[in-house]
Amino acid sequence: ENNKLKGILPLEMLEFKHLRILGLFTNEINGQLPKGIFQIDTLIKLWLNNNLITGSIPTEIQSLTKLTDLSIANNQING
């Protein structure tokens, strides 16, 4: 939270195949959500609220069957 992170989410993050919680809220992350983030099927919590993320929610989000907590509010996401 509030780590002053700026820019797009790095693709290297997708290498964390056993990641369960990703909390990058209240930063300045921008750009679209990389579709690959939805291939991390171990994610149970994804907190990206209060950033500058744009675009729409990819349909691949349906593959996160273990996801119990999603927070993407206060971005520029549509759909």
Side-chain angles (χ1 to χ4, degrees), residues 46-61:
L46 180 57
W47 301 319
L48 297 171
N49 50 302
N50 300 318
N51 280 288
L52 304 170
I53 298 170
T54 59
S56 59
I57 302 170
T59 56
E60 287 84 357
I61 197 168

Side-chain angles (χ1 to χ4, degrees), residues 4-5 33 55 78:
K4 300 183 180 165
L5 299 175
L33 291 171
N78 56 54

Side-chain angles (χ1 to χ4, degrees), residues 23-52:
L24 296 173
F25 51 97
T26 313
N27 285 287
E28 294 182 28
I29 296 169
N30 60 29
Q32 296 186 349
L33 291 171
K35 291 185 179 185
I37 201 169
F38 302 109
Q39 295 173 359
I40 305 173
D41 60 1
T42 54
L43 273 178
I44 58 173
K45 297 177 189 288
L46 180 57
W47 301 319
L48 297 171
N49 50 302
N50 300 318
N51 280 288
L52 304 170

Side-chain angles (χ1 to χ4, degrees), residues 52-70:
L52 304 170
I53 298 170
T54 59
S56 59
I57 302 170
T59 56
E60 287 84 357
I61 197 168
Q62 297 174 21
S63 65
L64 296 179
T65 57
K66 296 178 182 165
L67 191 67
T68 60
D69 193 352
L70 173 66

